[in-house]
Amino acid sequence: MKYTILKEKCYWTLMSLLTIILLNACSDITDRQKEYLDMGETIYVGKMDSVIVQGGKDRVVIKAKNTYLRTAVECVVKWTDIEGVAQEKIFNLKENQDGDYTLFTIAPLPEGDYDFELYTTDDVGNKSIVVEAAGASYGDIYVHTQSKLSIIDLFVNDEGGAELTLSQSKMAVKYKLTYKDKDGKAQNIESEEIKDKIVVPNWDNNDNSPFELTTFVLPKDKLGLDTLELPTLVQVAKQHVSYYPVDKSKILSAKYTATDNTGKGFGSGAPQAIFDNQSGGDAAWECWNDGSTLPAHMSFDLGKQTYLTAASIIGRNNYFGWDVVKFEIWGRESIDDGPGGPTGYEIQSRSDEEGFEAEAITRGWKRAGKGWFQYENPRKNPQTSSCELTDLDHSFKPRHILLRIMSCITPDGSTPSDKYFGEDGGYTGGGKYFNIGEMGLTATGITYTIE
């Protein structure tokens, strides 16, 4: 009985304690709620959405989507630089909207990196939650860190154009190239397409010819808005002259006149035998003129435009005389205008006729140079000689040539004389032949380095 009474007392005591605890807890909750209820209802305004910061020259443009704006009428933009200095500006949303977006331009803004905070407000001062973004403006400091486009190689093609190879510049979006043409006038090439190579037509092709290259960059890493012009780079082309043998395998016998010498006298191999890399005692390996008069000419296609500077010759084995002494090379860069008409390439006059040269000039041919072979005493077997061309005309670069034989050595006796060795210029006129076992041509090439 006593145990039961004690048990009931403990129960009621425990229940009383729990009731007191619950009443105190409810009182605390009510007090906390009252604190906020006394402040009134909090209304949040729609925030700016999908915020990005686009950099520009001494400015930024903040672009945000108008997804949640609804009652918002203004946006406060706050920016803080890397030193912690903060500024802010209030923008009217309606005045800055552009379709589905709102654009906030902050300018001028010194070059640097910034943290941005944006929140909107309505007519009664309610605010949105804060949206954060980061971005940068750029300017002279950025310009000095960028690599410029530069010319790293130059090659002159057969048309006289300069093919320039460019370096790379990651942010380059445009270039401007200034150069001089063959008339010495400044010309410009501008392009927004950045390629590895630029072809410069009608380049002046002179030593120390200048190129001025200006690079324009757009900072893609800063979502750049404004293109920046880098300082102009001035480079010059330095000429280097080299000499090389003309590739005989590319030289083809042609017929550019109505009076070409066939070169088949005495059953010989004709003009193509001159550049076939064979010479010997057999007439089939040689070229003999098929008439008995000088001057006489033959036509050849060199395979490409070439500046000729020298020539060499091998005569016939075990034969006395008719080796070439004086010769001329006439040339044309192209025969695209065809053979006919008063100015077409096909010359009608014979090489020994007085009007040959005048007609050749009228038809677009130019004398590229003159040669004079002289031979050693005592005589070699076969005769050999070489010479540099004189009266060179490198104002043009011929591909199509006339080899015009002007004089020869004659077998006029067994006693060697000056005429026999070609020292006085040899013989010309009627009753004269020429014999060529093999010839070689030397060309000059101009290469360039960029400085």
Side-chain angles (χ1 to χ4, degrees):
M1 182 69 177
K2 291 180 179 180
Y3 174 75
T4 302
I5 294 171
L6 180 61
K7 185 176 179 181
E8 289 180 356
K9 287 181 178 180
C10 290
Y11 171 78
W12 289 113
T13 301
L14 180 60
M15 292 300 293
S16 298
L17 288 172
L18 288 173
T19 302
I20 293 169
I21 292 171
L22 288 172
L23 289 173
N24 284 336
C26 291
S27 176
D28 290 343
I29 292 172
T30 302
D31 290 341
R32 289 195 186 95
Q33 289 176 340
K34 185 175 184 301
E35 178 184 346
Y36 289 98
L37 290 172
D38 290 344
M39 292 172 60
E41 182 182 7
T42 299
I43 299 174
Y44 285 96
V45 182
K47 67 174 182 175
M48 303 308 301
D49 184 30
S50 304
V51 177
I52 61 171
V53 182
Q54 295 178 283
K57 189 178 189 313
D58 299 320
R59 68 173 182 142
V60 297
V61 174
I62 301 173
K63 184 177 181 180
K65 202 167 186 181
N66 305 328
T67 308
Y68 309 115
L69 293 186
R70 295 182 177 86
T71 61
V73 293
E74 290 182 333
C75 181
V76 178
V77 179
K78 177 183 176 181
W79 61 94
T80 306
D81 64 20
I82 58 174
E83 295 180 354
V85 178
Q87 300 179 67
E88 67 176 40
K89 183 176 179 180
I90 300 174
F91 293 87
N92 182 286
L93 290 175
K94 186 174 290 186
E95 292 176 358
N96 291 278
Q97 284 182 352
D98 182 12
D100 294 333
Y101 293 87
T102 302
L103 307 178
F104 308 110
T105 301
I106 301 175
L109 185 64
E111 183 173 8
D113 297 321
Y114 295 87
D115 292 320
F116 296 89
E117 296 178 353
L118 294 81
Y119 64 88
T120 60
T121 61
D122 61 14
D123 286 330
V124 294
N126 295 314
K127 300 178 182 180
S128 72
I129 63 174
V130 175
V131 178
E132 296 180 347
S137 64
Y138 50 83
D140 293 339
I141 296 174
Y142 187 87
V143 165
H144 291 303
T145 64
Q146 296 305 297
S147 60
K148 305 173 187 176
L149 292 171
S150 64
I151 302 168
I152 57 177
D153 192 26
L154 186 157
F155 171 76
V156 179
N157 59 33
D158 287 344
E159 289 72 40
E163 297 182 5
L164 308 180
T165 302
L166 299 185
S167 65
Q168 294 184 343
S169 175
K170 184 178 180 181
M171 299 298 175
V173 293
K174 177 183 175 182
Y175 68 81
K176 176 183 177 182
L177 178 70
T178 302
Y179 67 97
K180 289 184 178 179
D181 63 18
K182 289 184 177 179
D183 296 324
K185 297 179 180 179
Q187 302 291 342
N188 293 318
I189 296 177
E190 294 188 46
S191 177
E192 295 182 0
E193 186 177 5
I194 310 299
K195 294 183 176 181
D196 292 340
K197 293 186 183 296
I198 305 175
V199 178
V200 178
N202 198 33
W203 179 52
D204 71 352
N205 199 13
N206 288 326
D207 192 23
N208 293 315
S209 182
F211 292 98
E212 299 178 9
L213 184 58
T214 304
T215 306
F216 299 83
V217 297
L218 183 63
K220 304 179 187 70
D221 57 338
K222 301 183 185 299
L223 302 178
L225 294 168
D226 303 319
T227 299
L228 298 176
E229 179 178 336
L230 304 187
T232 297
L233 176 65
V234 179
Q235 298 174 278
V236 296
K238 300 290 292 184
Q239 288 185 345
H240 304 276
V241 179
S242 61
Y243 298 92
Y244 62 92
V246 176
D247 186 352
K248 293 183 182 183
S249 68
K250 299 294 192 298
I251 301 176
L252 300 175
S253 177
K255 192 176 187 301
Y256 298 137
T257 78
T259 58
D260 269 41
N261 197 292
T262 66
K264 294 183 178 180
F266 305 98
S268 65
Q272 60 263 30
I274 295 177
F275 299 108
D276 64 358
N277 281 312
Q278 298 185 68
S279 62
D282 192 319
W285 292 355
E286 302 167 355
C287 175
W288 279 83
N289 65 328
D290 59 352
S292 58
T293 186
L294 293 180
H297 64 268
M298 296 167 288
S299 305
F300 297 93
D301 180 352
L302 299 178
K304 67 176 184 177
Q305 289 180 263
T306 307
Y307 290 121
L308 298 174
T309 56
S312 62
I313 193 168
I314 301 174
R316 183 177 179 179
N317 276 330
N318 304 314
Y319 193 80
F320 188 75
W322 303 128
D323 296 298
V324 173
V325 177
K326 286 188 174 182
F327 63 97
E328 297 177 349
I329 295 177
W330 290 68
R332 245 174 170 262
E333 290 187 338
S334 169
I335 56 171
D336 291 344
D337 53 347
T343 59
Y345 66 78
E346 188 176 73
I347 301 171
Q348 302 299 310
S349 302
R350 293 197 320 271
S351 203
D352 60 333
E353 289 181 329
E354 185 175 345
F356 175 85
E357 293 187 8
E359 184 186 355
I361 292 169
T362 299
R363 293 183 176 279
W365 293 88
K366 295 181 181 180
R367 183 160 42 208
K370 298 179 179 180
W372 186 343
F373 291 129
Q374 298 186 43
Y375 301 93
E376 294 183 8
N377 186 358
R379 183 183 189 280
K380 285 185 176 180
N381 187 18
Q383 290 274 55
T384 61
S385 186
S386 61
C387 67
E388 294 184 0
L389 301 182
T390 61
D391 297 339
L392 287 171
D393 182 358
H394 281 177
S395 67
F396 75 117
K397 194 175 185 181
R399 169 177 173 169
H400 309 278
I401 66 168
L402 305 179
L403 177 61
R404 190 181 185 208
I405 310 302
M406 304 300 293
S407 67
C408 65
I409 293 171
T410 62
D412 58 350
S414 58
T415 303
S417 66
D418 288 346
K419 292 181 180 180
Y420 176 78
F421 295 105
E423 294 176 8
D424 69 344
Y427 291 94
T428 190
K432 302 299 183 290
Y433 295 88
F434 67 83
N435 166 241
I436 302 173
E438 186 73 13
M439 280 190 71
L441 298 173
T442 299
T444 185
I446 299 175
T447 58
Y448 294 86
T449 55
I450 296 294
E451 298 181 0

